Amino acid sequence: MTISPGFTSAEIREFVHEYQVQPHGAKGPWLAARGVPYGRLRRWRGTVFEGDLDRGLIPREGSPMTVPPGKRTALEKQRAVERAAHEAELVRLSARVRELEETNSALGKAIGLLHAMSEEEPAEPPTKTDQPGS
């Protein structure tokens, strides 16, 4: 269930998180460029931070449990830093995987060459009894 038809819970959550990290003065134009009215954003934001987005539950207004806007922004900035660190780790690990795959491929080729070389050699070395004059 979603609180807005046409949007999944994941899309709404990501939209709210992107909105929160926009600098002061840029939020209105950013929102207008995406064609989302501020009222809808308020409902989404409340659901993401104080409600239950996955079940489509919107919190009551004026709850003492709400997170202040300043703290929301701080949380989102921290989340952005964590996401950047995770993306950097992902890039590093992807490069390591490529490196290991290339090493694995090179080792496979070397093993194949060793097998080919061993097939070209005689199966058994000649013994003294097989040689003439023994």
Side-chain angles (χ1 to χ4, degrees):
M1 184 172 153
T2 182
I3 62 170
S4 288
F7 295 95
T8 66
S9 295
E11 290 171 335
I12 292 171
R13 186 174 288 111
E14 190 60 32
F15 188 91
V16 169
H17 291 310
E18 286 180 29
Y19 174 83
Q20 285 300 124
V21 295
Q22 297 301 312
H24 183 72
K27 291 182 178 187
W30 184 87
L31 199 58
R34 280 144 187 83
V36 175
Y38 184 73
R40 182 180 298 165
L41 172 75
R42 275 189 69 222
R43 186 173 69 242
W44 287 358
R45 195 172 50 192
T47 304
V48 167
F49 289 114
E50 288 103 21
D52 189 348
L53 179 62
D54 295 323
R55 293 191 320 171
L57 300 177
I58 302 169
R60 293 183 192 176
E61 294 295 321
S63 169
M65 302 291 283
T66 60
V67 179
K71 191 168 185 176
R72 288 180 189 172
T73 303
L75 289 171
E76 287 308 314
K77 286 181 181 178
Q78 179 182 358
R79 183 176 179 268
V81 167
E82 290 172 358
R83 188 183 319 175
H86 288 197
E87 288 174 4
E89 180 74 3
L90 180 63
V91 167
R92 187 185 69 76
L93 292 175
S94 295
R96 180 69 175 143
V97 166
R98 277 192 301 278
E99 176 187 344
L100 292 174
E101 287 174 344
E102 290 169 1
T103 302
N104 194 20
S105 177
L107 287 173
K109 289 176 184 177
I111 290 171
L113 286 173
L114 288 174
H115 283 299
M117 289 173 57
S118 68
E119 290 174 359
E120 293 173 6
E121 295 177 0
E124 294 180 22
T127 60
K128 283 189 166 190
T129 57
D130 293 338
Q131 296 177 358
S134 312

